[in-house]
Amino acid sequence: MSISDQLIRLLHLLADGRFHSGTELARALDVGRSAIWKHLQALDGLGVELVGVSGKGYKLQRPLQLLDRQHILDQLGPRAEALISELEIHPAIASTNGHLMELARHTPSVGRVCLAEYQTAGKGRRGRHWVSPFGHNVYLSVLWHYQTGPGAITGLSLALGVAVVRALSRAGVQEVGLKWPNDIYWRGRKLAGILIEVSGESSGPCHAVAGLGLNLYLPERQAEPIEQAWVDLRHIMGEEVMRQRNRLVALLLNEMLPVLADFEQRTLQDFIDDWRNFDCMRGKAVNVLIGEQAFAGIVRGIDDQGLLLLEDHAGRVRAFASGEVSFRPA
C-alpha cells in the first residue's frame, strides 16, 4: 500500500491539533472538497481518529507527531550517531524487518535503520500479525552484520530487551519488565515486542535484523484482533507522550545500537544480571507451549545461557531454549 504525498501533507496540517475547515484544507492542498473527503476517509482506514464538527471542520482526536529524520538524528548521542550508516523513514511499508532482510541479501551494511509510519504486514513471533495503525506507534528495525555465525549472537534478543527497558526508563516510564524471551511488559500487559531474524552461514558471516514494535497509542478499534492483554504508553503516561515520538525513537536507538555493535565481544553475560532484575515472570505460574505440547509450572528465572527455567509440580526444573509462554490465571 502506498500513501500519497497529499495525504502526508494533510496530516501535517492536522497535526497542530486545531480544527481546519474543509475549504481551508482544500485550498492548502490545491484540491477540491471531494478530494479532501476521500483523504479523510483514507486516514480513518489507516487508524487515524478524526473529529468532525459542523461549522468548525476537522481535527485529530489525539495529538500526532510524524517521524522526522533530522529531529531523530539531532537527539542521538555521539556513539549511536556514529553507528548509523543510514536512517530511512517510510510512510507505509509491508514490514520494516522484511525490508531490511531483503536489503541484507545484497549488501553487508551495518547500522542501517528503518522506520515506518504504517505497516501492512508487520510481524510478531511465530509469524503473527503485528497491529500497526498509522503514525501512533514505533515500528523500528536495525540491520547489523556479524563476522561469526548465528551461534555467537545467541541471547541477542534478551540483551536488546534490557536496552529497550533502559530507553523507556530514560523516557520516564516506570514498572517496565521483561517477559522471556522477547516481550516488554507493564503491570502484566504487553507494551512492546522484539523480533530478531538471522540469515547467513551457520559458522561464518551472518546478518541480523532486530525489529521493535512499541505501542504509544492503540485505538480500540484497531486493537480488537489482539488476543492478549496489552497496554500503550498513552495509558501509562498520558496524551503528552504522543508528542514525544521522535525523542523516544532517539532514546531507543541510543540504547539499542551499542548493544548490536558490541554483542559479539560482550555477549549475554554482560546483560544477564540486568535482565534478571527486570524479569516480570519469576515466581509466576505459566504454560510453555512447544508445538502441540504444553508444560505447566512456576518460572524460576533464566540460566546463564538465557534459557527459561520452569519448575513442574514435582519440583523438577527444566530449561527451555524456545517456546510460547503464557501466564496462567491464579
Side-chain angles (χ1 to χ4, degrees), residues 216-264:
L216 268 70
Y217 170 58
L218 275 181
E220 292 286 346
R221 179 165 57 98
Q222 299 287 319
E224 284 180 1
I226 301 176
E227 297 177 348
Q228 63 188 132
W230 60 269
V231 70
D232 56 32
L233 286 180
R234 172 185 163 273
H235 175 88
I236 299 170
M237 304 180 71
E239 297 282 352
E240 185 56 31
V241 74
M242 304 295 293
R243 305 184 190 277
Q244 300 294 318
R245 194 157 160 251
N246 287 298
R247 173 176 176 264
L248 186 57
V249 169
L251 290 173
L252 288 163
L253 291 174
N254 281 337
E255 298 293 341
M256 293 174 65
L257 283 164
V259 171
L260 287 162
D262 300 340
F263 195 74
E264 279 181 306

XYZ file of all heavy atoms in Angstrom, residues 216-264:
409
model
N 2.619 3.229 21.411
C 2.394 4.538 22.013
C 0.901 4.759 22.213
O 0.460 5.172 23.269
C 2.968 5.657 21.137
C 4.398 6.079 21.458
C 5.381 4.982 21.070
C 4.744 7.392 20.778
N 0.136 4.469 21.158
C -1.322 4.561 21.263
C -1.947 3.566 20.297
O -1.667 3.584 19.097
C -1.819 5.971 20.954
C -3.324 6.044 20.818
C -4.140 5.650 21.880
C -3.922 6.470 19.636
C -5.518 5.686 21.760
C -5.303 6.515 19.509
C -6.097 6.121 20.573
O -7.459 6.145 20.467
N -2.786 2.691 20.826
C -3.524 1.729 20.011
C -5.007 2.042 20.111
O -5.614 1.876 21.168
C -3.287 0.298 20.509
C -2.063 -0.454 20.001
C -2.029 -1.857 20.598
C -2.051 -0.542 18.488
N -5.630 2.528 19.030
C -7.077 2.737 19.050
C -7.798 1.413 19.326
O -7.386 0.361 18.834
C -7.381 3.251 17.641
C -6.071 3.781 17.129
C -5.018 2.919 17.750
N -8.863 1.474 20.103
C -9.582 0.254 20.477
C -10.032 -0.536 19.248
O -9.944 -1.756 19.219
C -10.799 0.613 21.343
C -10.446 1.158 22.719
C -9.948 0.083 23.672
O -10.125 -1.117 23.358
O -9.392 0.439 24.714
N -10.495 0.183 18.240
C -10.981 -0.499 17.032
C -9.869 -1.280 16.355
O -10.059 -2.398 15.880
C -11.578 0.533 16.078
C -12.091 -0.034 14.764
C -12.980 0.989 14.073
N -12.280 2.244 13.847
C -11.714 2.577 12.699
N -11.751 1.744 11.668
N -11.122 3.739 12.557
N -8.662 -0.679 16.303
C -7.533 -1.345 15.676
C -7.025 -2.517 16.518
O -6.471 -3.483 15.997
C -6.397 -0.339 15.468
C -6.743 0.830 14.570
C -6.838 0.434 13.118
O -6.021 -0.338 12.637
N -7.837 0.936 12.422
N -7.210 -2.417 17.831
C -6.650 -3.430 18.735
C -7.566 -4.628 18.948
O -7.172 -5.589 19.618
C -6.334 -2.790 20.086
N -8.748 -4.607 18.370
C -9.702 -5.702 18.596
C -9.143 -7.091 18.288
O -9.446 -8.050 19.002
C -10.978 -5.460 17.786
C -11.887 -4.410 18.388
C -13.146 -4.194 17.557
O -13.293 -4.897 16.519
O -13.963 -3.342 17.934
N -8.310 -7.264 17.245
C -7.828 -8.624 16.952
C -6.787 -9.149 17.945
O -6.467 -10.337 17.925
C -7.181 -8.480 15.555
C -7.697 -7.188 15.008
C -7.921 -6.317 16.188
N -6.235 -8.291 18.804
C -5.174 -8.722 19.715
C -5.761 -9.633 20.780
O -6.726 -9.269 21.469
C -4.476 -7.513 20.362
C -3.871 -6.616 19.275
C -3.389 -7.972 21.332
C -3.241 -5.342 19.813
N -5.182 -10.814 20.957
C -5.757 -11.826 21.832
C -5.144 -11.826 23.231
O -5.594 -12.597 24.086
C -5.583 -13.209 21.201
C -6.324 -13.362 19.870
C -6.090 -14.709 19.226
O -5.183 -15.432 19.694
O -6.811 -15.048 18.263
N -4.137 -10.990 23.484
C -3.513 -10.974 24.798
C -3.678 -9.600 25.435
O -4.037 -8.624 24.767
C -2.024 -11.321 24.685
C -1.225 -10.327 23.864
C 0.188 -10.797 23.598
O 0.666 -10.759 22.487
N 0.880 -11.230 24.617
N -3.438 -9.540 26.736
C -3.534 -8.264 27.433
C -2.442 -7.318 26.926
O -1.286 -7.705 26.815
C -3.379 -8.487 28.934
N -2.818 -6.087 26.608
C -1.865 -5.136 26.059
C -2.040 -3.778 26.735
O -3.044 -3.501 27.391
C -2.038 -4.996 24.544
C -3.404 -4.527 24.128
C -4.491 -5.314 23.833
C -3.853 -3.163 24.000
N -5.571 -4.545 23.524
C -5.219 -3.219 23.611
C -3.243 -1.934 24.169
C -5.980 -2.065 23.395
C -3.994 -0.781 23.955
C -5.334 -0.850 23.570
N -1.045 -2.924 26.539
C -1.095 -1.570 27.082
C -0.301 -0.669 26.148
O 0.526 -1.154 25.364
C -0.510 -1.542 28.524
C 1.001 -1.772 28.504
C -0.861 -0.248 29.243
N -0.567 0.620 26.198
C 0.212 1.574 25.411
C 0.725 2.692 26.316
O 0.272 2.852 27.459
C -0.587 2.128 24.226
C -1.911 2.773 24.635
O -1.983 3.335 25.731
O -2.876 2.711 23.847
N 1.688 3.454 25.795
C 2.311 4.498 26.604
C 1.342 5.630 26.922
O 1.486 6.305 27.950
C 3.549 5.052 25.894
C 4.775 4.144 25.883
C 5.932 4.815 25.142
C 5.212 3.778 27.297
N 0.369 5.858 26.071
C -0.623 6.884 26.389
C -1.359 6.543 27.678
O -1.618 7.413 28.514
C -1.614 7.031 25.231
C -2.786 7.949 25.556
C -3.798 7.975 24.420
N -5.061 8.517 24.880
C -6.036 7.798 25.437
N -5.869 6.481 25.582
N -7.157 8.368 25.837
N -1.690 5.268 27.856
C -2.359 4.835 29.078
C -1.449 5.044 30.291
O -1.915 5.431 31.373
C -2.736 3.356 28.969
C -3.327 2.780 30.221
N -4.674 2.823 30.497
C -2.733 2.170 31.292
C -4.889 2.258 31.680
N -3.740 1.844 32.173
N -0.162 4.821 30.111
C 0.783 4.903 31.228
C 1.151 6.347 31.551
O 1.220 6.740 32.723
C 2.061 4.107 30.895
C 1.733 2.624 30.655
C 3.097 4.247 32.000
C 2.898 1.824 30.079
N 1.370 7.170 30.503
C 1.965 8.490 30.693
C 1.070 9.658 30.293
O 1.426 10.814 30.543
C 3.278 8.578 29.916
C 4.279 7.506 30.277
S 5.810 7.656 29.328
C 6.528 9.129 30.067
N -0.053 9.382 29.628
C -0.936 10.459 29.221
C -0.699 10.899 27.788
O 0.207 10.430 27.098
N -1.540 11.857 27.346
C -1.543 12.289 25.952
C -0.214 12.881 25.495
O 0.160 12.785 24.332
C -2.652 13.330 25.734
C -4.057 12.819 25.964
C -4.575 11.999 24.799
O -3.900 11.950 23.764
O -5.669 11.406 24.935
N 0.520 13.512 26.395
C 1.721 14.241 26.001
C 2.762 13.330 25.358
O 3.579 13.782 24.554
C 2.333 14.953 27.208
C 3.519 15.849 26.891
C 3.209 16.913 25.845
O 2.052 17.373 25.779
O 4.131 17.272 25.077
N 2.736 12.040 25.693
C 3.717 11.123 25.119
C 3.580 11.056 23.594
O 4.550 10.760 22.888
C 3.583 9.716 25.739
C 2.346 8.985 25.223
C 4.833 8.877 25.467
N 2.388 11.372 23.080
C 2.181 11.353 21.639
C 3.019 12.410 20.930
O 3.291 12.305 19.737
C 0.700 11.568 21.320
C -0.241 10.568 21.975
S 0.030 8.900 21.374
C -0.502 9.082 19.687
N 3.430 13.436 21.666
C 4.253 14.498 21.084
C 5.746 14.236 21.279
O 6.569 15.090 20.962
C 3.883 15.843 21.707
C 2.407 16.193 21.603
C 2.144 17.582 22.155
N 0.731 17.852 22.292
C -0.070 18.269 21.308
N 0.431 18.457 20.098
N -1.358 18.504 21.526
N 6.075 13.071 21.829
C 7.466 12.741 22.127
C 7.979 11.582 21.286
O 8.961 10.937 21.632
C 7.599 12.393 23.616
C 7.205 13.497 24.569
C 8.143 14.671 24.471
O 9.354 14.518 24.374
N 7.583 15.873 24.500
N 7.328 11.312 20.167
C 7.628 10.107 19.389
C 9.038 10.116 18.833
O 9.763 9.112 18.919
C 6.595 9.983 18.272
C 6.547 8.632 17.572
C 5.180 8.454 16.940
N 5.193 7.450 15.902
C 5.073 7.705 14.601
N 4.935 8.961 14.187
N 5.080 6.739 13.719
N 9.484 11.230 18.251
C 10.839 11.293 17.697
C 11.894 11.188 18.788
O 12.922 10.534 18.607
C 11.018 12.578 16.893
C 10.268 12.542 15.569
O 10.538 11.707 14.713
N 9.309 13.441 15.403
N 11.646 11.836 19.914
C 12.585 11.735 21.038
C 12.687 10.295 21.515
O 13.780 9.798 21.820
C 12.136 12.639 22.182
C 12.971 12.479 23.462
C 12.542 13.462 24.536
N 13.285 13.232 25.773
C 12.827 12.490 26.785
N 11.616 11.926 26.692
N 13.543 12.311 27.874
N 11.549 9.601 21.582
C 11.550 8.212 22.040
C 12.330 7.318 21.085
O 13.088 6.439 21.521
C 10.111 7.719 22.181
C 9.914 6.333 22.786
C 10.558 6.246 24.158
C 8.437 6.002 22.874
N 12.184 7.534 19.780
C 12.961 6.760 18.803
C 14.454 6.983 19.030
O 15.246 6.030 19.007
C 12.570 7.151 17.365
C 13.557 6.569 16.352
C 11.159 6.658 17.046
N 14.856 8.229 19.264
C 16.268 8.520 19.513
C 16.759 7.829 20.778
O 17.863 7.264 20.803
C 16.483 10.033 19.610
N 15.961 7.842 21.838
C 16.348 7.162 23.076
C 16.517 5.664 22.847
O 17.452 5.041 23.374
C 15.295 7.409 24.162
C 15.200 8.826 24.735
C 14.007 8.936 25.678
C 16.491 9.190 25.471
N 15.633 5.074 22.070
C 15.729 3.645 21.766
C 16.997 3.337 20.986
O 17.722 2.377 21.295
C 14.500 3.190 20.984
C 13.189 3.116 21.777
C 11.995 3.057 20.839
C 13.194 1.908 22.711
N 17.292 4.144 19.972
C 18.495 3.913 19.173
C 19.763 4.130 19.996
O 20.754 3.418 19.810
C 18.492 4.836 17.950
C 17.435 4.514 16.886
C 17.428 5.582 15.799
C 17.679 3.141 16.270
N 19.742 5.093 20.900
C 20.905 5.326 21.764
C 21.259 4.083 22.580
O 22.437 3.838 22.874
C 20.634 6.496 22.712
C 20.802 7.842 22.045
O 21.497 7.968 21.035
N 20.172 8.864 22.600
N 20.253 3.313 22.960
C 20.490 2.110 23.766
C 20.679 0.862 22.914
O 21.513 0.005 23.222
C 19.318 1.896 24.739
C 19.119 3.013 25.755
C 20.255 3.114 26.766
O 21.015 2.134 26.933
O 20.382 4.179 27.401
N 19.926 0.738 21.833
C 19.946 -0.495 21.042
C 21.190 -0.622 20.166
O 21.754 -1.719 20.032
C 18.688 -0.574 20.178
C 17.391 -0.740 20.957
S 15.906 -0.643 19.903
C 16.117 -2.115 18.870
N 21.616 0.469 19.536
C 22.731 0.385 18.592
C 24.030 -0.082 19.244
O 24.717 -0.955 18.684
C 22.920 1.725 17.890
C 21.900 2.018 16.785
C 21.901 3.491 16.411
C 22.174 1.170 15.551
N 24.422 0.446 20.415
C 25.651 -0.078 21.032
C 25.561 -1.560 21.390
O 26.569 -2.274 21.298
C 25.804 0.791 22.295
C 25.104 2.065 21.960
C 23.926 1.641 21.125
N 24.379 -2.025 21.781
C 24.218 -3.451 22.085
C 24.457 -4.283 20.828
O 25.182 -5.288 20.845
C 22.822 -3.732 22.664
C 22.578 -5.237 22.775
C 22.673 -3.087 24.036
N 23.868 -3.870 19.714
C 24.062 -4.595 18.458
C 25.521 -4.560 18.009
O 26.069 -5.564 17.544
C 23.176 -3.984 17.369
C 21.684 -4.282 17.483
C 20.865 -3.299 16.661
C 21.396 -5.716 17.045
N 26.168 -3.404 18.177
C 27.546 -3.251 17.703
C 28.533 -4.050 18.534
O 29.531 -4.563 18.008
C 27.931 -1.772 17.718
N 28.270 -4.190 19.821
C 29.265 -4.778 20.732
C 28.971 -6.208 21.131
O 29.752 -6.815 21.871
C 29.353 -3.932 22.012
C 29.775 -2.494 21.752
O 30.364 -2.238 20.680
O 29.511 -1.634 22.611
N 27.858 -6.781 20.644
C 27.404 -8.042 21.228
C 28.363 -9.200 21.005
O 28.496 -10.076 21.860
C 26.010 -8.415 20.713
C 25.358 -9.484 21.535
C 24.845 -9.195 22.783
C 25.287 -10.794 21.078
C 24.260 -10.182 23.568
C 24.705 -11.787 21.845
C 24.191 -11.477 23.091
N 29.035 -9.246 19.888
C 29.985 -10.341 19.657
C 31.102 -10.342 20.703
O 31.614 -11.400 21.071
C 30.594 -10.236 18.263
C 29.696 -10.791 17.171
C 30.340 -10.697 15.810
O 30.760 -9.592 15.418
O 30.425 -11.731 15.126
